């Protein structure tokens, strides 16, 4: 069973940085695809990026809107996936959530929320 909890959300000024964490207190992560998503008020969730935790060489994939600014990393020993966000702009203001599914993920379809089966409650990021 996967139980995800995000942390690290905060209010920051434009140009600032934040690192979000997603801890899984249930199953081990190595066999899971881990995704980061965000939801703007009144909008549907959008994919930020994902990484396959089961391969030490797995390269994260990102949405075009965050490429070059956001970085996903993982620490399987801590059952944690991170989202480092740099050069934040007000348009990054959203509720950020992590998600998981026991699967190998390589292609961009894993930026779609429907691919995932477990979700954390989210953490708010405000840039202003």
């Amino acid at each position: 069973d996967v139980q995800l909890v995000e942390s690290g959300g905060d209010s920051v000024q434009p140009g600032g940085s934040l690192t979000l964490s997603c801890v899984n207190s249930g199953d081990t992560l190595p066999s899971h695809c881990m995704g980061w998503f965000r939801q703007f008020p009144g909008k549907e969730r959008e994919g930020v990026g994902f990484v396959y935790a089961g391969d030490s060489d797995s390269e994260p994939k990102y949405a075009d809107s965050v490429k070059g600014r956001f970085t996903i990393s993982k620490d399987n020993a801590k059952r944690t996936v991170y989202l480092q966000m740099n050069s934040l702009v007000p348009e990054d203001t959203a509720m950020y959530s992590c998600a998981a599914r026991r699967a190998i993920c390589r292609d961009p379809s894993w930026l779609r929320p429907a691919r995932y089966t477990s979700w954390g409650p989210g953490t708010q990021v405000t840039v202003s």
Side-chain angles (χ1 to χ4, degrees):
D1 188 27
V2 175
Q3 298 177 358
L4 305 174
V5 178
E6 305 90 342
S7 62
D10 205 347
S11 295
V12 296
Q13 294 183 345
S17 299
L18 275 177
T19 298
L20 307 183
S21 300
C22 171
V23 178
N24 174 26
S25 59
D27 273 350
T28 57
L29 283 181
S31 57
H32 288 75
C33 179
M34 301 299 300
W36 279 101
F37 293 82
R38 61 186 181 181
Q39 189 167 20
F40 306 111
K43 303 283 188 180
E44 295 186 356
R45 276 190 183 121
E46 77 169 27
V48 172
F50 63 90
V51 66
Y52 175 55
D55 183 350
S56 60
D57 296 328
S58 179
E59 291 289 329
K61 304 289 194 298
Y62 302 96
D64 288 343
S65 57
V66 304
K67 272 181 187 175
R69 298 191 300 126
F70 290 12
T71 302
I72 293 173
S73 60
K74 55 186 171 69
D75 185 334
N76 287 348
K78 294 182 179 179
R79 299 184 179 183
T80 302
V81 176
Y82 304 95
L83 177 66
Q84 181 180 346
M85 306 184 292
N86 298 325
S87 303
L88 286 163
V89 297
E91 292 73 25
D92 293 319
T93 295
M95 179 69 76
Y96 284 73
S97 302
C98 64
R101 180 174 178 175
R102 187 184 293 271
I104 298 172
C105 52
R106 307 285 188 200
D107 62 87
S109 71
W110 286 93
L111 286 171
R112 298 202 296 256
R115 297 302 303 262
Y116 297 84
T117 54
S118 300
W119 290 85
T123 186
Q124 178 68 36
V125 173
T126 301
V127 186
S128 65

